[in-house]
Amino acid sequence: MSYTSAPVPAPHPAPTAVPAETLFPREECAPRAVYDAIRDELLLDGRSRLNLATFGTTWMEDEARLLMAETADKNLVDTDEYPQVADMEARCVRMLADLWHAPDAARATGCSTTGSSEAAMLAGLALKRRWEHRRRAAGRDTERPNIVAGANVQVCWKKFCSYFDVEARLVPLAPGRLHLTPEMLAEYCDDRTIGVVGILGSTFDGSYEPIADLCLALDGIQAATGHDIPVHVDGASGALVAPFLDPDLLWDFQLPRVASINTSGHKYGQVFPGLGWALWRDAAALPAELVHHVDYLGGEMNTFSLTFTRPASHVAAQYYTFHRYGHAGLRRLHLESRRTARGLAAGIADLDLFELLSDGDELPAFAFRLTDRAHTLGLHERGIALAMRARGWQVPAYPLPTGLTDTWVLRVVVRTGFTPRLAALFLDDLRNAARTVMRATVGVPAERGAALALG
């Protein structure tokens, strides 16, 4: 296999090093010298396979990597010049519409995005515009719109509210309640609510919100008040897990109140960052004025995005993964991840110093914390995270959102490539990290620290 590139003049002599300076360089450098200098610097970054903080894909097959390299120079928005990639995008939308039980998958309404953040903002804009249309038709003002979600929403929803002048009504968490639940909706929803965001796979602990129950509660609110409030499902992670592992779970377009869904192809869709998808129930759910017509790239096309130019490589890779794995393959991959997550969570629960907040039974991800006894000894989750980083593991330590901000947790995300062997090594390192932190914090003898950590 060979690659071709434009001819270049003979390189200048290579410098001994490429300085990390802020001034724009004055002279040329030899390509290999620049490459080597940058590559050496990147060696200081963490190893992505050991990054248990991210939901983003860190492993892909060689064929998918090659397709990304071969399409990186293609502009996805230029559908006239690159019609096959544009058609692949449309096919992926139809496949997702079929997976999520859209009423008419063959004429699905959706698009790819640069990630779930953009997809969520597009869905939010559609909710806001539809609400404005309903208000104007009823002769009412369109001031002070709000959106309701749990305080556990990803930061992209806070950005949406800030950028597009929508009040964020975020329901605080509480002990034993780590996400939005139906009984909280009546207190927060009113005639200015443009929509409710249900999260299929919380960033904080991997749990699913009860989307069907949220819809049922909103049915009751409509019956009592007349407020017809749609639901958007933020399925950044779970919308490409639940269809394969939890086929009987009601959360998608089978629920009439669900107007739109987003997901990240770069999470459990097996594509490197960053790729998202936004889908609507039907064309009526996406106001036509949000879709813009473009004709200056040589053809005529429609676009609905917050960005414009971006490489086609991620769409090509997504099309590859859908066809490469199919339903059976993605079920196999995600089932392996869930089994690994549940096994690792059980192993952590067996250590006396830790307790689980979730166990990997929904998303292949879970959150855990130090026990109250460990806290009284002076231990903290940040110390555990730092001790694990010394072994190369990236494990986030963070406080829970509003309502539980005094509770700190650690989180593990299991993705394809995180094998049972790596999980066993992680558990050994966590056990050793607990011993190390305990000795450093409370000065207990090594043998007592081992006993406390091991249970």
Side-chain angles (χ1 to χ4, degrees):
M1 187 173 298
S2 63
Y3 296 91
T4 59
S5 60
V8 297
H12 290 269
T16 56
V18 176
E21 58 184 30
T22 57
L23 298 178
F24 199 91
R26 293 291 182 186
E27 304 296 335
E28 294 182 67
C29 288
R32 188 71 197 192
V34 177
Y35 170 83
D36 287 341
I38 294 174
R39 188 171 185 272
D40 288 347
E41 189 172 334
L42 291 173
L43 290 174
L44 298 176
D45 278 346
R47 287 170 286 179
S48 60
R49 289 278 296 281
L50 301 186
N51 182 0
L52 304 186
T54 182
F55 285 86
T57 295
T58 53
W59 178 90
M60 288 179 67
E61 291 179 324
D62 290 342
E63 292 81 359
R65 290 172 178 259
L66 185 57
L67 279 171
M68 291 191 75
E70 291 175 345
T71 53
D73 60 340
K74 294 187 176 183
N75 185 358
L76 182 62
V77 78
D78 193 350
T79 58
D80 187 62
E81 187 69 22
Y82 307 117
Q84 291 309 120
V85 174
D87 197 44
M88 288 180 185
E89 179 187 24
R91 291 177 218 164
C92 286
V93 167
R94 291 194 292 271
M95 283 188 269
L96 288 171
D98 175 60
L99 191 67
W100 297 340
H101 302 97
D104 188 357
R107 284 185 286 275
T109 300
C111 60
S112 68
T113 63
T114 51
S116 268
S117 291
E118 183 186 9
M121 291 190 195
L122 296 180
L125 280 171
L127 291 175
K128 183 182 182 185
R129 194 59 57 90
R130 289 179 63 202
W131 174 81
E132 290 172 343
H133 288 174
R134 293 194 301 271
R135 297 281 292 189
R136 291 192 181 105
R140 307 178 72 180
D141 70 86
T142 57
E143 303 299 318
R144 304 187 308 281
N146 68 73
I147 197 165
V148 174
N152 56 312
V153 288
Q154 213 266 359
V155 69
C156 66
W157 288 101
K158 299 176 183 178
K159 290 182 178 180
F160 164 74
C161 292
S162 176
Y163 298 166
F164 298 104
D165 198 22
V166 174
E167 178 192 355
R169 294 188 175 178
L170 303 183
V171 180
L173 307 186
R177 181 172 55 77
L178 299 183
H179 52 59
L180 184 63
T181 53
E183 65 272 12
M184 305 301 295
L185 290 178
E187 181 180 348
Y188 287 83
C189 293
D190 59 25
D191 65 323
R192 298 184 184 273
T193 301
I194 65 173
V196 168
V197 177
I199 306 171
L200 196 72
S202 171
T203 298
F204 290 91
D205 68 344
S207 64
Y208 295 162
E209 291 187 339
I211 308 299
D213 291 342
L214 296 177
C215 290
L216 188 62
L218 290 170
D219 289 345
I221 289 173
Q222 182 176 3
T225 66
H227 306 328
D228 185 5
I229 301 171
V231 168
H232 171 80
V233 178
D234 185 344
S237 298
L240 281 172
V241 172
F244 307 105
L245 298 188
D246 309 292
D248 296 329
L249 183 68
L250 275 175
W251 65 271
D252 59 12
F253 291 124
Q254 292 178 90
L255 298 168
R257 198 166 288 277
V258 172
S260 49
I261 302 171
N262 72 274
T263 197
S264 291
H266 66 235
K267 293 183 178 176
Y268 290 101
Q270 308 297 113
V271 176
F272 286 150
L275 175 69
W277 297 95
L279 269 70
W280 286 264
R281 167 174 293 279
D282 49 35
L286 177 59
E289 69 268 23
L290 293 177
V291 181
H292 294 272
H293 180 75
V294 176
D295 60 8
Y296 54 75
L297 291 177
E300 296 187 358
M301 63 204 71
N302 293 323
T303 177
F304 178 37
S305 66
L306 300 180
T307 62
F308 195 65
T309 295
R310 58 190 175 97
S313 52
H314 293 83
V315 168
Q318 185 75 91
Y319 192 63
Y320 169 87
T321 61
F322 283 172
H323 278 279
R324 160 67 178 89
Y325 296 112
H327 196 286
L330 286 173
R331 173 175 168 76
R332 174 181 60 82
L333 292 178
H334 298 340
L335 191 58
E336 289 172 358
S337 293
R338 181 179 279 181
R339 286 170 175 164
T340 300
R342 294 180 66 181
L344 181 54
I348 291 172
D350 286 339
L351 304 180
D352 272 357
L353 286 178
F354 300 101
E355 62 185 19
L356 299 176
L357 277 76
S358 54
D359 62 2
D361 196 38
E362 292 175 319
L363 281 189
F366 60 91
F368 61 104
R369 65 186 292 269
L370 288 163
T371 63
D372 291 340
R373 181 170 68 104
H375 286 141
T376 61
L377 292 173
L379 276 68
H380 196 280
E381 285 76 10
R382 288 171 298 189
I384 300 295
L386 287 172
M388 292 298 284
R389 187 174 286 269
R391 284 286 291 164
W393 300 104
Q394 299 173 60
V395 185
Y398 51 85
L400 290 175
T402 304
L404 290 173
T405 52
D406 291 336
T407 301
W408 280 69
V409 299
L410 299 148
R411 189 194 66 219
V412 167
V413 178
V414 176
R415 307 175 306 278
T416 301
F418 187 77
T419 62
R421 177 57 182 158
L422 280 175
L425 293 171
F426 176 89
L427 190 60
D428 286 342
D429 284 341
L430 181 64
R431 189 180 290 112
N432 291 330
R435 294 169 181 164
T436 300
V437 172
M438 184 170 293
R439 289 199 299 268
T441 303
V442 299
V444 299
E447 60 274 10
R448 183 163 176 251
L452 285 169
L454 290 172

PDB file of all heavy atoms in Angstrom, residues 373-392:
ATOM      1  N   ARG A 373     -15.736   5.363  56.885  1.00  0.00           N
ATOM      2  CA  ARG A 373     -14.622   4.962  57.751  1.00  0.00           C
ATOM      3  C   ARG A 373     -13.290   5.405  57.162  1.00  0.00           C
ATOM      4  O   ARG A 373     -12.413   5.900  57.878  1.00  0.00           O
ATOM      5  CB  ARG A 373     -14.637   3.443  57.940  1.00  0.00           C
ATOM      6  CG  ARG A 373     -13.514   2.918  58.852  1.00  0.00           C
ATOM      7  CD  ARG A 373     -13.757   1.451  59.164  1.00  0.00           C
ATOM      8  NE  ARG A 373     -13.589   0.626  57.995  1.00  0.00           N
ATOM      9  CZ  ARG A 373     -12.521  -0.146  57.773  1.00  0.00           C
ATOM     10  NH1 ARG A 373     -11.529  -0.171  58.642  1.00  0.00           N
ATOM     11  NH2 ARG A 373     -12.436  -0.897  56.702  1.00  0.00           N
ATOM     12  N   ALA A 374     -13.144   5.263  55.840  1.00  0.00           N
ATOM     13  CA  ALA A 374     -11.911   5.697  55.189  1.00  0.00           C
ATOM     14  C   ALA A 374     -11.747   7.209  55.279  1.00  0.00           C
ATOM     15  O   ALA A 374     -10.646   7.719  55.476  1.00  0.00           O
ATOM     16  CB  ALA A 374     -11.904   5.240  53.736  1.00  0.00           C
ATOM     17  N   HIS A 375     -12.866   7.933  55.160  1.00  0.00           N
ATOM     18  CA  HIS A 375     -12.790   9.387  55.265  1.00  0.00           C
ATOM     19  C   HIS A 375     -12.379   9.820  56.664  1.00  0.00           C
ATOM     20  O   HIS A 375     -11.642  10.789  56.837  1.00  0.00           O
ATOM     21  CB  HIS A 375     -14.139  10.011  54.898  1.00  0.00           C
ATOM     22  CG  HIS A 375     -14.435   9.971  53.429  1.00  0.00           C
ATOM     23  ND1 HIS A 375     -15.683   9.708  52.933  1.00  0.00           N
ATOM     24  CD2 HIS A 375     -13.630  10.139  52.345  1.00  0.00           C
ATOM     25  CE1 HIS A 375     -15.656   9.726  51.605  1.00  0.00           C
ATOM     26  NE2 HIS A 375     -14.414   9.983  51.228  1.00  0.00           N
ATOM     27  N   THR A 376     -12.855   9.112  57.669  1.00  0.00           N
ATOM     28  CA  THR A 376     -12.485   9.488  59.040  1.00  0.00           C
ATOM     29  C   THR A 376     -11.007   9.260  59.291  1.00  0.00           C
ATOM     30  O   THR A 376     -10.424   9.892  60.184  1.00  0.00           O
ATOM     31  CB  THR A 376     -13.311   8.688  60.071  1.00  0.00           C
ATOM     32  OG1 THR A 376     -13.045   7.287  59.912  1.00  0.00           O
ATOM     33  CG2 THR A 376     -14.790   8.955  59.910  1.00  0.00           C
ATOM     34  N   LEU A 377     -10.394   8.391  58.500  1.00  0.00           N
ATOM     35  CA  LEU A 377      -8.950   8.173  58.612  1.00  0.00           C
ATOM     36  C   LEU A 377      -8.146   9.233  57.868  1.00  0.00           C
ATOM     37  O   LEU A 377      -6.920   9.225  57.915  1.00  0.00           O
ATOM     38  CB  LEU A 377      -8.590   6.787  58.057  1.00  0.00           C
ATOM     39  CG  LEU A 377      -9.090   5.581  58.851  1.00  0.00           C
ATOM     40  CD1 LEU A 377      -8.804   4.298  58.099  1.00  0.00           C
ATOM     41  CD2 LEU A 377      -8.450   5.557  60.231  1.00  0.00           C
ATOM     42  N   GLY A 378      -8.865  10.145  57.174  1.00  0.00           N
ATOM     43  CA  GLY A 378      -8.181  11.220  56.469  1.00  0.00           C
ATOM     44  C   GLY A 378      -7.966  10.964  54.988  1.00  0.00           C
ATOM     45  O   GLY A 378      -7.327  11.771  54.298  1.00  0.00           O
ATOM     46  N   LEU A 379      -8.492   9.854  54.471  1.00  0.00           N
ATOM     47  CA  LEU A 379      -8.328   9.556  53.048  1.00  0.00           C
ATOM     48  C   LEU A 379      -9.323  10.365  52.234  1.00  0.00           C
ATOM     49  O   LEU A 379     -10.399  10.731  52.710  1.00  0.00           O
ATOM     50  CB  LEU A 379      -8.529   8.068  52.788  1.00  0.00           C
ATOM     51  CG  LEU A 379      -7.300   7.164  53.023  1.00  0.00           C
ATOM     52  CD1 LEU A 379      -6.942   7.112  54.494  1.00  0.00           C
ATOM     53  CD2 LEU A 379      -7.568   5.758  52.499  1.00  0.00           C
ATOM     54  N   HIS A 380      -8.961  10.617  50.970  1.00  0.00           N
ATOM     55  CA  HIS A 380      -9.843  11.343  50.061  1.00  0.00           C
ATOM     56  C   HIS A 380      -9.724  10.741  48.664  1.00  0.00           C
ATOM     57  O   HIS A 380      -8.663  10.220  48.279  1.00  0.00           O
ATOM     58  CB  HIS A 380      -9.485  12.830  50.021  1.00  0.00           C
ATOM     59  CG  HIS A 380     -10.555  13.687  49.412  1.00  0.00           C
ATOM     60  ND1 HIS A 380     -10.738  13.811  48.048  1.00  0.00           N
ATOM     61  CD2 HIS A 380     -11.527  14.453  49.989  1.00  0.00           C
ATOM     62  CE1 HIS A 380     -11.752  14.628  47.813  1.00  0.00           C
ATOM     63  NE2 HIS A 380     -12.256  15.021  48.969  1.00  0.00           N
ATOM     64  N   GLU A 381     -10.814  10.839  47.906  1.00  0.00           N
ATOM     65  CA  GLU A 381     -10.822  10.282  46.548  1.00  0.00           C
ATOM     66  C   GLU A 381      -9.739  10.888  45.667  1.00  0.00           C
ATOM     67  O   GLU A 381      -9.176  10.199  44.793  1.00  0.00           O
ATOM     68  CB  GLU A 381     -12.205  10.502  45.913  1.00  0.00           C
ATOM     69  CG  GLU A 381     -13.307   9.581  46.432  1.00  0.00           C
ATOM     70  CD  GLU A 381     -13.826   9.956  47.804  1.00  0.00           C
ATOM     71  OE1 GLU A 381     -13.477  11.062  48.298  1.00  0.00           O
ATOM     72  OE2 GLU A 381     -14.579   9.157  48.390  1.00  0.00           O
ATOM     73  N   ARG A 382      -9.404  12.162  45.870  1.00  0.00           N
ATOM     74  CA  ARG A 382      -8.356  12.778  45.058  1.00  0.00           C
ATOM     75  C   ARG A 382      -7.013  12.097  45.276  1.00  0.00           C
ATOM     76  O   ARG A 382      -6.213  11.957  44.341  1.00  0.00           O
ATOM     77  CB  ARG A 382      -8.252  14.267  45.385  1.00  0.00           C
ATOM     78  CG  ARG A 382      -9.411  15.101  44.861  1.00  0.00           C
ATOM     79  CD  ARG A 382      -9.372  16.516  45.382  1.00  0.00           C
ATOM     80  NE  ARG A 382      -9.483  16.562  46.851  1.00  0.00           N
ATOM     81  CZ  ARG A 382      -9.638  17.659  47.558  1.00  0.00           C
ATOM     82  NH1 ARG A 382      -9.687  18.828  46.945  1.00  0.00           N
ATOM     83  NH2 ARG A 382      -9.757  17.611  48.877  1.00  0.00           N
ATOM     84  N   GLY A 383      -6.748  11.682  46.506  1.00  0.00           N
ATOM     85  CA  GLY A 383      -5.497  10.987  46.778  1.00  0.00           C
ATOM     86  C   GLY A 383      -5.429   9.648  46.068  1.00  0.00           C
ATOM     87  O   GLY A 383      -4.372   9.253  45.555  1.00  0.00           O
ATOM     88  N   ILE A 384      -6.551   8.932  46.025  1.00  0.00           N
ATOM     89  CA  ILE A 384      -6.588   7.661  45.302  1.00  0.00           C
ATOM     90  C   ILE A 384      -6.340   7.894  43.816  1.00  0.00           C
ATOM     91  O   ILE A 384      -5.572   7.166  43.169  1.00  0.00           O
ATOM     92  CB  ILE A 384      -7.943   6.955  45.522  1.00  0.00           C
ATOM     93  CG1 ILE A 384      -8.187   6.670  47.003  1.00  0.00           C
ATOM     94  CG2 ILE A 384      -8.022   5.679  44.689  1.00  0.00           C
ATOM     95  CD1 ILE A 384      -7.214   5.691  47.631  1.00  0.00           C
ATOM     96  N   ALA A 385      -6.991   8.921  43.249  1.00  0.00           N
ATOM     97  CA  ALA A 385      -6.814   9.218  41.823  1.00  0.00           C
ATOM     98  C   ALA A 385      -5.356   9.545  41.503  1.00  0.00           C
ATOM     99  O   ALA A 385      -4.817   9.098  40.486  1.00  0.00           O
ATOM    100  CB  ALA A 385      -7.726  10.368  41.409  1.00  0.00           C
ATOM    101  N   LEU A 386      -4.707  10.321  42.360  1.00  0.00           N
ATOM    102  CA  LEU A 386      -3.300  10.666  42.136  1.00  0.00           C
ATOM    103  C   LEU A 386      -2.409   9.442  42.246  1.00  0.00           C
ATOM    104  O   LEU A 386      -1.462   9.274  41.460  1.00  0.00           O
ATOM    105  CB  LEU A 386      -2.861  11.739  43.135  1.00  0.00           C
ATOM    106  CG  LEU A 386      -3.408  13.147  42.885  1.00  0.00           C
ATOM    107  CD1 LEU A 386      -3.065  14.069  44.054  1.00  0.00           C
ATOM    108  CD2 LEU A 386      -2.841  13.715  41.580  1.00  0.00           C
ATOM    109  N   ALA A 387      -2.680   8.579  43.210  1.00  0.00           N
ATOM    110  CA  ALA A 387      -1.875   7.364  43.363  1.00  0.00           C
ATOM    111  C   ALA A 387      -2.047   6.445  42.153  1.00  0.00           C
ATOM    112  O   ALA A 387      -1.083   5.810  41.702  1.00  0.00           O
ATOM    113  CB  ALA A 387      -2.265   6.638  44.649  1.00  0.00           C
ATOM    114  N   MET A 388      -3.250   6.373  41.595  1.00  0.00           N
ATOM    115  CA  MET A 388      -3.475   5.554  40.407  1.00  0.00           C
ATOM    116  C   MET A 388      -2.788   6.153  39.186  1.00  0.00           C
ATOM    117  O   MET A 388      -2.293   5.434  38.313  1.00  0.00           O
ATOM    118  CB  MET A 388      -4.975   5.402  40.148  1.00  0.00           C
ATOM    119  CG  MET A 388      -5.706   4.569  41.192  1.00  0.00           C
ATOM    120  SD  MET A 388      -5.127   2.860  41.268  1.00  0.00           S
ATOM    121  CE  MET A 388      -5.898   2.182  39.789  1.00  0.00           C
ATOM    122  N   ARG A 389      -2.744   7.472  39.113  1.00  0.00           N
ATOM    123  CA  ARG A 389      -2.074   8.124  37.980  1.00  0.00           C
ATOM    124  C   ARG A 389      -0.579   7.786  37.958  1.00  0.00           C
ATOM    125  O   ARG A 389       0.035   7.716  36.903  1.00  0.00           O
ATOM    126  CB  ARG A 389      -2.283   9.633  38.045  1.00  0.00           C
ATOM    127  CG  ARG A 389      -1.760  10.383  36.826  1.00  0.00           C
ATOM    128  CD  ARG A 389      -2.126  11.848  36.883  1.00  0.00           C
ATOM    129  NE  ARG A 389      -3.540  12.049  36.603  1.00  0.00           N
ATOM    130  CZ  ARG A 389      -4.031  12.270  35.388  1.00  0.00           C
ATOM    131  NH1 ARG A 389      -3.226  12.322  34.342  1.00  0.00           N
ATOM    132  NH2 ARG A 389      -5.323  12.445  35.212  1.00  0.00           N
ATOM    133  N   ALA A 390      -0.013   7.575  39.134  1.00  0.00           N
ATOM    134  CA  ALA A 390       1.402   7.207  39.193  1.00  0.00           C
ATOM    135  C   ALA A 390       1.674   5.879  38.490  1.00  0.00           C
ATOM    136  O   ALA A 390       2.791   5.613  38.047  1.00  0.00           O
ATOM    137  CB  ALA A 390       1.863   7.135  40.648  1.00  0.00           C
ATOM    138  N   ARG A 391       0.647   5.051  38.365  1.00  0.00           N
ATOM    139  CA  ARG A 391       0.764   3.786  37.640  1.00  0.00           C
ATOM    140  C   ARG A 391       0.272   3.902  36.205  1.00  0.00           C
ATOM    141  O   ARG A 391       0.205   2.910  35.477  1.00  0.00           O
ATOM    142  CB  ARG A 391      -0.037   2.708  38.372  1.00  0.00           C
ATOM    143  CG  ARG A 391       0.637   2.195  39.621  1.00  0.00           C
ATOM    144  CD  ARG A 391       1.805   1.292  39.278  1.00  0.00           C
ATOM    145  NE  ARG A 391       1.335   0.033  38.682  1.00  0.00           N
ATOM    146  CZ  ARG A 391       2.117  -0.805  38.006  1.00  0.00           C
ATOM    147  NH1 ARG A 391       3.392  -0.515  37.804  1.00  0.00           N
ATOM    148  NH2 ARG A 391       1.621  -1.929  37.509  1.00  0.00           N
ATOM    149  N   GLY A 392      -0.123   5.114  35.790  1.00  0.00           N
ATOM    150  CA  GLY A 392      -0.567   5.323  34.420  1.00  0.00           C
ATOM    151  C   GLY A 392      -2.068   5.357  34.236  1.00  0.00           C
ATOM    152  O   GLY A 392      -2.552   5.713  33.160  1.00  0.00           O
TER     153      GLY A 392
END
